[in-house]
Amino acid sequence: MTEHIVDPLDPADLAALGAASTATITTQLFKFGLRNTYLAGLRCVSPHAPRLLGEAFTLRYIPAREDIDTLDVFADYDHPQRLAVESVHPGQVLVMDCRGQGRAASAGHILLTRLAARGAAGVVTDGTLRDIEGIGELRLPVFAAGAAAMTNLAQHHAVDLQVPIGCAGVPVYPGDVLVGDGDGVVCVPRHLVPVIAQPAREQERLEAYLQQRVALGAPLRGTYPPDEQTLRAYDESRAAVSDAH
């Protein structure tokens, strides 16, 4: 496992990302030419959990081999899968590269319970999970491709921690920021967090205003996207709210 020493992110930027939808965040990233940041095909399997927001801690699987991946490997507490669970820090998201293969689960209820107890910010896998009903009761944001009863050893061999991986076709580097909501998960390259966070929050505010205008009968022309008159009305509404406080 490679130790990555990086400068901490500004909590205000993380809070701004946490307040923005994944749809908004993908739009902000699109402005910088990034078109492959949305982890397609994953769904939230923990409906009682808060939104997903945290820094990536990566785990890479390769295809299993029958003479190596036997049940007795789990007697080794330094097995990469178990080591990953015990290495994730509070505020980090365990992101697993399963090559999009889901015939066997990438983890199960006990391991994810341990992650929740350690203060992990969530779990993201482009594979499947076992004991999905129990996982669904955790207060841990979990996104996966679905459920599978078979142990991971039938299809996956854990090899690397904290290396760049591909998850659901998206490159994820250790320390990137994962955001998840009802639309799914998006990966924000770490160096772009301070660039897009506040604009994403402002986009959310503007679009909430536009949503209200459309709901009241405003046509799309001049409203979405907003023309100068609409933007002026928006600025005046923001100023009025600010004066009221």
Side-chain angles (χ1 to χ4, degrees):
M1 179 174 65
T2 303
E3 286 293 332
H4 292 261
I5 301 174
V6 293
D7 293 331
L9 294 170
D10 187 335
D13 288 335
L14 287 175
L17 284 181
S21 69
T22 55
T24 291
I25 293 169
T26 58
T27 299
Q28 289 295 324
L29 291 170
F30 191 88
K31 293 177 180 179
F32 289 88
L34 277 73
R35 302 181 178 215
N36 184 32
T37 57
Y38 173 70
L39 283 65
L42 309 188
R43 64 180 180 89
C44 180
V45 300
S46 51
H48 307 295
R51 286 189 56 185
L52 174 74
L53 175 68
E55 301 177 32
F57 183 104
T58 63
L59 169 62
R60 184 172 73 96
Y61 285 107
I62 63 172
R65 204 174 80 184
E66 290 80 358
D67 62 330
I68 295 175
D69 295 291
T70 58
L71 286 174
D72 58 2
V73 301
F74 285 147
D76 178 9
Y77 289 110
D78 289 326
H79 181 275
Q81 183 203 48
R82 308 305 168 90
L83 184 60
V85 171
E86 292 292 339
S87 300
V88 173
H89 295 303
Q92 291 183 322
V93 177
L94 177 61
V95 186
M96 292 181 275
D97 171 7
C98 295
R99 314 169 315 284
Q101 302 298 310
R103 180 171 53 83
S106 54
H109 190 197
I110 292 176
L111 296 185
L112 268 62
T113 299
R114 177 59 178 156
L115 284 166
R118 287 182 54 79
V123 173
V124 174
T125 175
D126 64 355
T128 52
L129 297 167
R130 68 198 305 201
D131 316 311
I132 203 85
E133 291 183 359
I135 290 171
E137 297 300 318
L138 294 174
R139 293 285 299 170
L140 176 74
V142 179
F143 287 79
M150 180 62 71
T151 179
N152 70 304
L153 296 172
Q155 193 174 27
H156 306 299
H157 178 87
V159 287
D160 289 320
L161 282 63
Q162 288 295 71
V163 297
I165 61 171
C167 187
V170 174
V172 180
Y173 287 74
D176 285 349
V177 174
L178 280 298
V179 184
D181 60 14
D183 285 345
V185 179
V186 63
C187 177
V188 182
R190 187 181 185 89
H191 70 283
L192 288 179
V193 170
V195 178
I196 72 157
Q198 300 305 325
R201 171 175 278 175
E202 180 54 34
Q203 181 183 333
E204 286 287 325
R205 291 169 175 162
L206 173 60
E207 291 191 351
Y209 174 78
L210 301 180
Q211 178 79 32
Q212 290 178 340
R213 289 178 68 99
V214 170
L216 292 172
L220 292 181
R221 184 179 295 274
T223 305
Y224 188 67
D227 58 15
E228 290 184 8
Q229 181 178 351
T230 299
L231 288 174
R232 187 161 52 248
Y234 168 68
D235 290 339
E236 290 172 355
S237 71
R238 292 280 297 160
V241 171
S242 179
D243 291 343
H245 290 83

